[in-house]
Amino acid sequence: RSILNQQFLFLSDGHHEEEIVAQRKDGTVFAAAVKALLLADGEQNAIGYLVMIRHRAAPRDGQSGNVDRLIRRERLATMGELAAQLAHEIRNPLLSIGATLESLAKDAADDETGETLRLLTDEVNRLDLILKDYMSLATRCNASVAPVDLARLLDEVARLQLPLQRERDARITLQFPEEVIVHGDAEGLRQVFFNLLQNALEVSAPGAEVTCRAEHGPRHLSIHVEDQGPGLPDTPARLFEPFHTTKTNGTGLGLTVSQRIVEAHGGTITLSPRTGGGCRVTVALPLRDLG
């Protein structure tokens, strides 16, 4: 079931391959390669799956090492799911603590106490942001899939960024056709472009422009987000690492989460210097015939 869910969400061509640990009826386990193919009717509605499970040949020194590696990987994945659930449980009382501290700060008896309570409130908010990003990183793979009007979605995201545009005295310019349809998770894509546009605005100087434009290819749609900021603060590979941030109050998970969501759609996300200064982020999403 896990493989079929991944296969339906992850891949633009309806095909998925994975190494797993399979269990026989007698309880013994073995390394297997699983191939799954989505079957669809003429209207692109999912009607079933074709699945092949193939026994992987054992290496010369025996099969146990390969099986152990796969078991460890599955255990790590399970631990990640449990950690996400734990983060959710921690976040609920954390929000209550933050609200209480904020209320106490407003009614503080003196300035020193009020300042201390406000600092504690800021730390609680920072922890909440980290937990929220981590939960997104750990749970987005179970999201729903549907046709998404990307032009409309980006217009909504740009509107959500109006307060930051006013604060930075910068503007977002969308250069999109009226309707651009991709197949994916709308909430996940909304989070990706919210992160990217927010990052671009935060490095923009007063009066600068952040552009977001589409470029059609034969099999992919490329969305370019370009800013006029100081350029890449580090190597692209380093910027995608979890918890690596160049912001004072950043969690270091925004680009990591975005990369995972984009790759879950069978796409890619890249960072590069922009001609004339600044940074360009390119999100390439596979196009599908939606009938």
Side-chain angles (χ1 to χ4, degrees), residues 201-212:
L201 287 171
E202 288 177 346
V203 299
S204 295
E209 180 182 36
V210 173
T211 60
C212 184

Side-chain angles (χ1 to χ4, degrees), residues 17-22 24 29-35 52-60 62-67 69-70 73:
E17 296 184 23
E18 184 175 342
E19 290 185 12
I20 66 165
V21 175
R24 301 184 181 92
V29 296
F30 63 97
V34 175
K35 295 183 178 181
M52 181 179 71
I53 302 177
R54 181 170 56 85
H55 187 284
R56 287 186 61 84
R60 293 180 181 178
Q63 184 181 324
S64 60
N66 196 31
V67 172
R69 176 178 60 81
L70 293 173
R73 189 185 68 180

Side-chain angles (χ1 to χ4, degrees), residues 104-118:
L104 290 174
K106 293 178 181 178
D107 301 328
D110 55 78
D111 292 342
E112 184 178 354
T113 302
E115 181 62 22
T116 300
L117 290 171
R118 280 188 289 273

Side-chain angles (χ1 to χ4, degrees), residues 154-272:
L154 283 164
D155 183 65
E156 293 173 356
V157 172
R159 291 176 184 274
L160 291 174
Q161 297 284 2
L162 283 174
L164 185 57
Q165 292 182 66
R166 288 192 289 265
E167 178 186 331
R168 302 295 301 183
D169 188 23
R171 67 185 185 278
I172 295 173
T173 300
L174 300 178
Q175 300 173 0
F176 258 73
E178 290 186 1
E179 188 178 79
V180 179
I181 304 297
V182 295
H183 203 74
D185 165 30
E187 289 305 312
L189 293 174
R190 182 177 284 107
Q191 182 173 1
V192 168
F193 291 107
F194 187 93
N195 287 342
L196 298 182
L197 289 174
Q198 178 176 279
N199 289 346
L201 287 171
E202 288 177 346
V203 299
S204 295
E209 180 182 36
V210 173
T211 60
C212 184
R213 58 185 177 86
E215 181 181 347
H216 271 278
R219 299 189 63 182
H220 288 80
L221 173 72
S222 296
I223 303 96
H224 304 287
V225 177
E226 299 178 331
D227 63 63
Q228 299 172 349
L232 294 174
D234 209 332
T235 61
R238 183 82 170 128
L239 292 171
F240 283 115
E241 290 181 3
F243 303 109
H244 175 73
T245 181
T246 58
K247 300 180 183 178
T248 304
N249 297 316
T251 66
L253 286 174
L255 283 177
T256 307
V257 171
S258 298
Q259 184 182 49
R260 174 162 180 169
I261 294 172
V262 171
E263 289 181 349
H265 285 75
T268 60
I269 178 170
T270 56
L271 301 173
S272 61

